[in-house]
Amino acid sequence: MLNNKKKIKSALLSVFYKDGLDEIVQYLSSNGVKIYSTGGTLSFIEKLGANAQSVEDLTGYPSILGGRVKTLHPKVFGGILARRNNPDDSRQLAQYEIPEVDLVVVDLYPFEETAASGASEAEVIEKIDVGGVSLIRAAAKSYSDVAVVASRRQYAELLSMLKENGGGTTLANRRRLAAQAFDVSSHYDSAIFSYFNRSERIPSFKLSMPGGKALRYGENPHQRAAFYGNLNDMFEQLHGKEISYNNLLDIDAALRLIREFDEPTFAIIKHNNACGAASRPTLLQAWRDALAGDPVSAFGGVLACNRELDKEAAEEVNMLFCEVLIAPAYSAEGLATLKQKKNRIILAVKTLKLPAVQSRTLLNGVAAQEQDLSVETEKDMTFVTTAKPTAEQVQDLIFANKLVKHSKSNAIVLAKNRQLVASGVGQPSRVDALRHAIEKAASFGFSLQGAVMASDAFFPFPDCVEIAHKAGIAAAIQPGGSVNDQKSIDYCNANGVAMVTTGVRHFKH
């Protein structure tokens, strides 16, 4: 049944982009296919020297309303929607002189591109395709008899299909084309809804991501996985093996963190958390100090920096086994050095622009929220203690607060001289997170005298500031907002610890 082959005898072509259409027109014309077309597509076909009948001649009506109405007519849709095995449908086609249409080729108005270009609303609205979407839905519904191509990206596939089947299509071909057509039309409608819903805020969640790619597996080998989206828009892969699901999670975490920094910075990500980070006048020194923060966890991590990776830095980075390396650019010598490891994934960032809304499946639905884009600076700090942080400590507090924002809650970050000294992340208790960070700093020989502490949420009790002070911490940054804030402030005042609040919590789960 799925091999039920049907010869293409007639086709309707109405496309916005003509690139690649010439081969299809020439093939159809050489095989004696009757072609119907409209407007610019008709002119394109005629310039190729092929014969085609205008839809206006078929329907007896001109294109009206500035081209808004061209194909919306029973003589067009009747020939697409008629059931070839239904005698009543066949009689009506004959009665009203409606020709059957075996193939519909459409490429829709570029709505998304126009909306993204910053065009006026009037211009965007004019790029909402009505007739094209209607043709797609009609042809896809009639896949038992009609083949449909809904995007210029399918032109090559159609041509190959026709050649393979002697100018026809199988039922299996047509069913697959119908599924692809509904994928195109549903994505198109989702984009239009999202455009309108920017202001209307209708409580409906729609996310359409074409271009899915199967991954080797998910977080674990027994889990199937895929990525939906176009990674080529974000970066160019210059070298290495295929990117895995876990790589993607760490790459996402790395990009979100590194874009917070303006000065030369290196960050090392492991399981979505920074295990090393430093900001320095040179990228080489930033790398050395980031690695010093935890050279053990850095093994097999994802590395990210915000400057061109030069030869000197690349030579030292190359000494560490890492899964992924991310930079805005690479010097020719540096790239050659880094390519010495065959499987190392090397990415050159094109853009750091990320979606404004993040979502995840929860229970039997989806939860969506705005991205946490808040970045606190000195002007956002409230100095709540008698002791005030020095200018250098303020910079360390800002540095540490950026890191804790991108760490799994409960999280504590200890920093000194704009270097991540240690962190405690993903702990059920904030005290546990702090103790873990202190123990880790000691294990790598760091002195915490004069260091600063950042907490992703408020201190519910003064125990954290007490433990931190006894370890040598000189200043702390936290959102504030606990009913026991004053107790933490009182301890700091009694012991000469500086503390600032920001009023912004950075939970990350």
Side-chain angles (χ1 to χ4, degrees):
M1 180 65 176
L2 291 181
N3 289 322
N4 180 14
K5 191 178 294 185
K6 284 186 176 288
K7 185 84 170 177
I8 301 295
K9 298 177 183 177
S10 59
L12 172 60
L13 279 56
S14 180
V15 305
F16 187 85
Y17 289 111
K18 316 299 189 294
D19 297 346
L21 186 65
D22 53 342
E23 291 186 74
I24 293 174
V25 171
Q26 290 163 354
Y27 181 86
L28 294 176
S29 182
S30 66
N31 281 268
V33 175
K34 175 70 175 180
I35 300 176
Y36 302 97
S37 193
T38 62
T41 309
L42 178 63
S43 299
F44 176 83
I45 293 171
E46 291 174 339
K47 286 179 182 177
L48 294 173
N51 293 321
Q53 181 179 352
S54 71
V55 167
E56 289 87 348
D57 286 345
L58 172 64
T59 64
Y61 278 85
S63 172
I64 61 173
L65 307 182
R68 280 190 166 199
V69 181
K70 293 190 289 282
T71 58
L72 296 170
H73 193 281
K75 278 208 169 184
V76 174
F77 282 85
I80 297 170
L81 288 167
R83 293 156 291 189
R84 310 300 164 83
N85 62 352
N86 186 306
D88 288 338
D89 286 6
S90 298
R91 279 193 294 272
Q92 290 182 55
L93 290 184
Q95 178 183 355
Y96 297 107
E97 299 180 333
I98 299 173
E100 293 178 347
V101 176
D102 304 315
L103 170 66
V104 173
V105 179
V106 175
D107 186 61
L108 299 171
Y109 292 165
F111 174 83
E112 284 185 278
E113 294 92 329
T114 305
S117 72
S120 68
E121 177 146 306
E123 292 173 304
V124 172
I125 297 306
E126 284 307 308
K127 287 299 185 288
I128 296 178
D129 204 318
V130 177
V133 171
S134 301
L135 288 171
I136 289 171
R137 292 180 64 85
K141 179 176 180 177
S142 298
Y143 74 88
S144 58
D145 299 300
V146 181
V148 58
V149 166
S151 167
R152 65 187 183 278
R153 287 182 286 272
Q154 296 174 266
Y155 291 171
E157 180 183 357
L158 172 65
L159 191 60
S160 176
M161 189 182 296
L162 293 175
K163 290 179 178 179
E164 183 180 329
N165 292 289
T169 58
T170 66
L171 181 60
N173 293 153
R174 296 191 298 277
R175 197 177 195 283
R176 176 169 175 78
L177 289 172
Q180 291 173 326
F182 283 122
D183 178 37
V184 170
S185 64
S186 63
H187 176 76
Y188 196 78
D189 284 341
S190 292
I192 296 170
F193 169 77
S194 296
Y195 174 81
F196 280 97
N197 211 39
R198 294 179 307 172
S199 57
E200 302 305 324
R201 302 299 178 100
I202 296 168
S204 178
F205 179 82
K206 288 179 173 61
L207 179 64
S208 177
M209 301 294 291
K213 179 184 178 182
L215 302 173
R216 296 198 303 269
Y217 52 80
E219 286 187 277
N220 302 291
H222 64 276
Q223 294 173 273
R224 288 185 294 180
F227 177 80
Y228 300 94
N230 188 357
L231 293 176
N232 292 328
D233 288 343
M234 291 211 66
F235 45 71
E236 179 183 1
Q237 183 168 351
L238 303 176
H239 183 71
K241 63 184 180 180
E242 183 180 347
I243 298 173
S244 72
Y245 184 94
N246 288 330
N247 289 155
L248 288 171
L249 293 178
D250 282 334
I251 291 168
D252 180 78
L255 289 176
R256 291 178 187 279
L257 174 60
I258 202 68
R259 68 176 182 168
E260 302 267 6
F261 297 92
D262 296 321
E263 59 271 56
T265 301
F266 234 115
I268 305 171
I269 304 297
K270 198 70 174 286
H271 296 291
N272 309 155
N273 295 294
C275 63
S279 295
R280 293 291 182 265
T282 68
L283 199 60
L284 177 59
Q285 193 58 50
W287 162 249
R288 289 172 175 170
D289 291 342
L291 180 62
D294 187 347
V296 175
S297 297
F299 183 85
V302 169
L303 318 181
C305 62
N306 60 356
R307 294 291 191 280
E308 179 182 288
L309 194 50
D310 57 23
K311 178 177 181 290
E312 291 72 24
E315 287 176 347
E316 293 204 15
V317 169
N318 193 49
M319 297 167 63
L320 176 76
F321 167 73
C322 64
E323 284 278 330
V324 184
L325 184 57
I326 307 167
Y330 302 82
S331 70
E333 299 89 344
L335 184 59
T337 298
L338 296 167
K339 283 184 174 180
Q340 291 173 7
K341 303 292 172 57
K342 182 177 74 171
N343 290 326
R344 176 185 286 151
I345 297 168
I346 303 176
L347 304 177
V349 177
K350 295 179 181 178
T351 177
L352 289 175
K353 185 178 180 181
L354 295 166
V357 175
Q358 61 182 165
S359 58
R360 62 166 67 176
T361 57
L362 292 178
L363 301 174
N364 63 344
V366 174
Q369 66 173 356
E370 295 177 340
Q371 298 279 6
D372 183 358
L373 300 178
S374 179
V375 180
E376 291 74 53
T377 62
E378 185 174 1
K379 67 181 178 59
D380 300 303
M381 297 178 180
T382 299
F383 298 85
V384 296
T385 53
T386 303
K388 301 296 185 287
T390 65
E392 184 63 30
Q393 287 172 344
V394 166
Q395 294 307 307
D396 281 348
L397 290 170
I398 293 171
F399 176 86
N401 199 50
K402 291 177 180 179
L403 291 174
V404 84
K405 168 185 170 181
H406 294 277
S407 301
K408 295 288 185 181
S409 300
N410 288 307
I412 293 287
V413 163
L414 306 180
K416 188 176 181 180
N417 298 328
R418 289 180 297 164
Q419 177 186 25
L420 173 59
V421 173
S423 63
V425 300
Q427 299 299 313
S429 161
R430 197 158 302 281
V431 170
D432 288 344
L434 174 57
R435 285 176 172 155
H436 177 75
I438 292 171
E439 291 171 6
K440 186 175 180 181
S443 72
F444 289 112
F446 283 102
S447 168
L448 294 178
Q449 294 299 317
V452 305
M453 170 177 67
S455 175
D456 63 336
F458 62 60
F459 299 123
F461 303 102
D463 46 7
C464 279
V465 291
E466 180 179 354
I467 294 168
H469 164 246
K470 290 178 178 178
I473 300 296
I477 184 170
Q478 54 120 344
S482 168
V483 294
N484 288 321
D485 271 355
Q486 193 58 47
K487 293 181 179 179
S488 293
I489 293 170
D490 289 345
Y491 182 89
C492 290
N493 285 336
N495 293 276
V497 177
M499 185 163 69
V500 302
T501 60
T502 63
V504 180
R505 189 179 72 184
H506 289 299
F507 269 164
K508 183 182 179 188
H509 295 104

mmCIF file of all heavy atoms in Angstrom, residues 334-358:
data_model
loop_
_atom_site.group_PDB
_atom_site.id
_atom_site.type_symbol
_atom_site.label_atom_id
_atom_site.label_comp_id
_atom_site.label_asym_id
_atom_site.label_seq_id
_atom_site.Cartn_x
_atom_site.Cartn_y
_atom_site.Cartn_z
ATOM 1 N N GLY A 334 47.569 29.360 17.736
ATOM 2 C CA GLY A 334 46.861 28.786 18.878
ATOM 3 C C GLY A 334 45.926 27.668 18.460
ATOM 4 O O GLY A 334 45.863 26.610 19.099
ATOM 5 N N LEU A 335 45.191 27.868 17.352
ATOM 6 C CA LEU A 335 44.263 26.849 16.878
ATOM 7 C C LEU A 335 45.002 25.595 16.453
ATOM 8 O O LEU A 335 44.557 24.471 16.745
ATOM 9 C CB LEU A 335 43.437 27.410 15.716
ATOM 10 C CG LEU A 335 42.343 26.493 15.157
ATOM 11 C CD1 LEU A 335 41.339 26.127 16.249
ATOM 12 C CD2 LEU A 335 41.634 27.164 13.982
ATOM 13 N N ALA A 336 46.140 25.760 15.783
ATOM 14 C CA ALA A 336 46.925 24.606 15.358
ATOM 15 C C ALA A 336 47.383 23.786 16.562
ATOM 16 O O ALA A 336 47.358 22.545 16.538
ATOM 17 C CB ALA A 336 48.122 25.069 14.535
ATOM 18 N N THR A 337 47.774 24.471 17.620
ATOM 19 C CA THR A 337 48.194 23.774 18.836
ATOM 20 C C THR A 337 47.038 23.000 19.460
ATOM 21 O O THR A 337 47.172 21.829 19.829
ATOM 22 C CB THR A 337 48.750 24.781 19.859
ATOM 23 O OG1 THR A 337 49.902 25.427 19.315
ATOM 24 C CG2 THR A 337 49.125 24.093 21.166
ATOM 25 N N LEU A 338 45.891 23.634 19.564
ATOM 26 C CA LEU A 338 44.736 23.013 20.214
ATOM 27 C C LEU A 338 44.180 21.845 19.416
ATOM 28 O O LEU A 338 43.578 20.922 19.980
ATOM 29 C CB LEU A 338 43.647 24.062 20.434
ATOM 30 C CG LEU A 338 44.025 25.193 21.398
ATOM 31 C CD1 LEU A 338 43.028 26.334 21.305
ATOM 32 C CD2 LEU A 338 44.120 24.669 22.822
ATOM 33 N N LYS A 339 44.384 21.849 18.115
ATOM 34 C CA LYS A 339 43.886 20.764 17.272
ATOM 35 C C LYS A 339 44.723 19.492 17.393
ATOM 36 O O LYS A 339 44.396 18.467 16.793
ATOM 37 C CB LYS A 339 43.853 21.211 15.802
ATOM 38 C CG LYS A 339 42.688 22.125 15.456
ATOM 39 C CD LYS A 339 42.681 22.433 13.956
ATOM 40 C CE LYS A 339 41.454 23.219 13.549
ATOM 41 N NZ LYS A 339 41.440 23.516 12.086
ATOM 42 N N GLN A 340 45.783 19.553 18.176
ATOM 43 C CA GLN A 340 46.616 18.365 18.349
ATOM 44 C C GLN A 340 45.850 17.227 19.031
ATOM 45 O O GLN A 340 46.176 16.061 18.862
ATOM 46 C CB GLN A 340 47.860 18.720 19.163
ATOM 47 C CG GLN A 340 48.840 19.617 18.425
ATOM 48 C CD GLN A 340 49.972 20.078 19.308
ATOM 49 O OE1 GLN A 340 50.126 19.633 20.462
ATOM 50 N NE2 GLN A 340 50.789 20.994 18.789
ATOM 51 N N LYS A 341 44.828 17.574 19.795
ATOM 52 C CA LYS A 341 43.983 16.552 20.432
ATOM 53 C C LYS A 341 42.786 16.288 19.513
ATOM 54 O O LYS A 341 41.955 17.177 19.298
ATOM 55 C CB LYS A 341 43.516 17.041 21.805
ATOM 56 C CG LYS A 341 44.664 17.405 22.747
ATOM 57 C CD LYS A 341 45.439 16.185 23.163
ATOM 58 C CE LYS A 341 46.709 16.562 23.943
ATOM 59 N NZ LYS A 341 46.497 17.354 25.116
ATOM 60 N N LYS A 342 42.724 15.081 18.961
ATOM 61 C CA LYS A 342 41.782 14.773 17.879
ATOM 62 C C LYS A 342 40.330 15.002 18.258
ATOM 63 O O LYS A 342 39.546 15.533 17.460
ATOM 64 C CB LYS A 342 41.976 13.319 17.448
ATOM 65 C CG LYS A 342 41.071 12.899 16.292
ATOM 66 C CD LYS A 342 41.343 11.477 15.846
ATOM 67 C CE LYS A 342 40.795 10.476 16.858
ATOM 68 N NZ LYS A 342 40.852 9.090 16.355
ATOM 69 N N ASN A 343 39.924 14.623 19.456
ATOM 70 C CA ASN A 343 38.509 14.667 19.834
ATOM 71 C C ASN A 343 38.093 15.959 20.520
ATOM 72 O O ASN A 343 36.905 16.157 20.793
ATOM 73 C CB ASN A 343 38.168 13.483 20.741
ATOM 74 C CG ASN A 343 38.196 12.166 19.996
ATOM 75 O OD1 ASN A 343 37.851 12.112 18.810
ATOM 76 N ND2 ASN A 343 38.617 11.103 20.673
ATOM 77 N N ARG A 344 39.054 16.823 20.826
ATOM 78 C CA ARG A 344 38.721 18.053 21.541
ATOM 79 C C ARG A 344 37.778 18.919 20.694
ATOM 80 O O ARG A 344 38.060 19.240 19.551
ATOM 81 C CB ARG A 344 39.984 18.830 21.871
ATOM 82 C CG ARG A 344 39.716 20.186 22.525
ATOM 83 C CD ARG A 344 41.008 20.944 22.718
ATOM 84 N NE ARG A 344 41.788 20.387 23.816
ATOM 85 C CZ ARG A 344 43.119 20.429 23.882
ATOM 86 N NH1 ARG A 344 43.812 20.964 22.886
ATOM 87 N NH2 ARG A 344 43.755 19.923 24.920
ATOM 88 N N ILE A 345 36.651 19.295 21.281
ATOM 89 C CA ILE A 345 35.678 20.151 20.591
ATOM 90 C C ILE A 345 36.115 21.605 20.744
ATOM 91 O O ILE A 345 36.248 22.111 21.862
ATOM 92 C CB ILE A 345 34.269 19.945 21.171
ATOM 93 C CG1 ILE A 345 33.811 18.499 20.947
ATOM 94 C CG2 ILE A 345 33.278 20.923 20.550
ATOM 95 C CD1 ILE A 345 32.572 18.114 21.730
ATOM 96 N N ILE A 346 36.329 22.284 19.623
ATOM 97 C CA ILE A 346 36.764 23.681 19.630
ATOM 98 C C ILE A 346 35.675 24.523 18.979
ATOM 99 O O ILE A 346 35.323 24.304 17.813
ATOM 100 C CB ILE A 346 38.096 23.858 18.888
ATOM 101 C CG1 ILE A 346 39.174 22.965 19.516
ATOM 102 C CG2 ILE A 346 38.531 25.322 18.919
ATOM 103 C CD1 ILE A 346 40.511 23.018 18.779
ATOM 104 N N LEU A 347 35.155 25.468 19.732
ATOM 105 C CA LEU A 347 34.041 26.285 19.263
ATOM 106 C C LEU A 347 34.436 27.761 19.219
ATOM 107 O O LEU A 347 35.025 28.283 20.171
ATOM 108 C CB LEU A 347 32.829 26.128 20.186
ATOM 109 C CG LEU A 347 32.298 24.701 20.407
ATOM 110 C CD1 LEU A 347 31.149 24.728 21.410
ATOM 111 C CD2 LEU A 347 31.862 24.085 19.091
ATOM 112 N N ALA A 348 34.100 28.417 18.112
ATOM 113 C CA ALA A 348 34.268 29.869 17.986
ATOM 114 C C ALA A 348 32.891 30.509 18.092
ATOM 115 O O ALA A 348 32.001 30.230 17.280
ATOM 116 C CB ALA A 348 34.918 30.219 16.653
ATOM 117 N N VAL A 349 32.704 31.346 19.088
ATOM 118 C CA VAL A 349 31.394 31.931 19.375
ATOM 119 C C VAL A 349 31.059 33.005 18.339
ATOM 120 O O VAL A 349 31.877 33.886 18.045
ATOM 121 C CB VAL A 349 31.355 32.535 20.790
ATOM 122 C CG1 VAL A 349 30.003 33.199 21.052
ATOM 123 C CG2 VAL A 349 31.632 31.460 21.827
ATOM 124 N N LYS A 350 29.839 32.933 17.787
ATOM 125 C CA LYS A 350 29.346 33.963 16.881
ATOM 126 C C LYS A 350 28.507 34.995 17.621
ATOM 127 O O LYS A 350 28.587 36.190 17.357
ATOM 128 C CB LYS A 350 28.492 33.326 15.783
ATOM 129 C CG LYS A 350 29.241 32.388 14.854
ATOM 130 C CD LYS A 350 28.280 31.796 13.826
ATOM 131 C CE LYS A 350 28.984 30.841 12.883
ATOM 132 N NZ LYS A 350 28.021 30.229 11.921
ATOM 133 N N THR A 351 27.671 34.530 18.541
ATOM 134 C CA THR A 351 26.812 35.425 19.310
ATOM 135 C C THR A 351 26.569 34.850 20.691
ATOM 136 O O THR A 351 26.544 33.630 20.867
ATOM 137 C CB THR A 351 25.464 35.648 18.599
ATOM 138 O OG1 THR A 351 24.625 36.471 19.438
ATOM 139 C CG2 THR A 351 24.735 34.334 18.368
ATOM 140 N N LEU A 352 26.415 35.732 21.657
ATOM 141 C CA LEU A 352 26.071 35.312 23.017
ATOM 142 C C LEU A 352 24.611 35.577 23.319
ATOM 143 O O LEU A 352 24.181 35.526 24.467
ATOM 144 C CB LEU A 352 26.958 36.036 24.035
ATOM 145 C CG LEU A 352 28.424 35.599 24.057
ATOM 146 C CD1 LEU A 352 29.227 36.465 25.006
ATOM 147 C CD2 LEU A 352 28.559 34.139 24.455
ATOM 148 N N LYS A 353 23.821 35.861 22.276
ATOM 149 C CA LYS A 353 22.405 36.133 22.467
ATOM 150 C C LYS A 353 21.667 34.830 22.749
ATOM 151 O O LYS A 353 21.742 33.871 21.991
ATOM 152 C CB LYS A 353 21.819 36.814 21.225
ATOM 153 C CG LYS A 353 20.375 37.231 21.396
ATOM 154 C CD LYS A 353 19.860 37.944 20.155
ATOM 155 C CE LYS A 353 18.411 38.369 20.325
ATOM 156 N NZ LYS A 353 17.894 39.042 19.113
ATOM 157 N N LEU A 354 20.932 34.813 23.861
ATOM 158 C CA LEU A 354 20.185 33.629 24.275
ATOM 159 C C LEU A 354 18.705 33.992 24.406
ATOM 160 O O LEU A 354 18.360 35.163 24.538
ATOM 161 C CB LEU A 354 20.723 33.099 25.609
ATOM 162 C CG LEU A 354 22.165 32.569 25.570
ATOM 163 C CD1 LEU A 354 22.704 32.388 26.975
ATOM 164 C CD2 LEU A 354 22.237 31.262 24.802
ATOM 165 N N PRO A 355 17.812 33.006 24.378
ATOM 166 C CA PRO A 355 16.378 33.300 24.499
ATOM 167 C C PRO A 355 16.061 34.069 25.773
ATOM 168 O O PRO A 355 16.702 33.874 26.815
ATOM 169 C CB PRO A 355 15.733 31.911 24.521
ATOM 170 C CG PRO A 355 16.717 31.019 23.828
ATOM 171 C CD PRO A 355 18.067 31.554 24.194
ATOM 172 N N ALA A 356 15.064 34.947 25.695
ATOM 173 C CA ALA A 356 14.685 35.761 26.856
ATOM 174 C C ALA A 356 13.914 34.952 27.883
ATOM 175 O O ALA A 356 13.821 35.340 29.048
ATOM 176 C CB ALA A 356 13.846 36.952 26.403
ATOM 177 N N VAL A 357 13.343 33.832 27.457
ATOM 178 C CA VAL A 357 12.548 32.981 28.344
ATOM 179 C C VAL A 357 13.147 31.582 28.358
ATOM 180 O O VAL A 357 13.544 31.055 27.313
ATOM 181 C CB VAL A 357 11.076 32.915 27.873
ATOM 182 C CG1 VAL A 357 10.277 31.941 28.726
ATOM 183 C CG2 VAL A 357 10.445 34.304 27.916
ATOM 184 N N GLN A 358 13.242 30.993 29.528
ATOM 185 C CA GLN A 358 13.691 29.603 29.627
ATOM 186 C C GLN A 358 12.532 28.749 30.110
ATOM 187 O O GLN A 358 11.664 29.209 30.863
ATOM 188 C CB GLN A 358 14.891 29.479 30.562
ATOM 189 C CG GLN A 358 14.653 29.900 31.993
ATOM 190 C CD GLN A 358 15.894 29.789 32.863
ATOM 191 O OE1 GLN A 358 15.951 30.332 33.946
ATOM 192 N NE2 GLN A 358 16.901 29.087 32.397
#
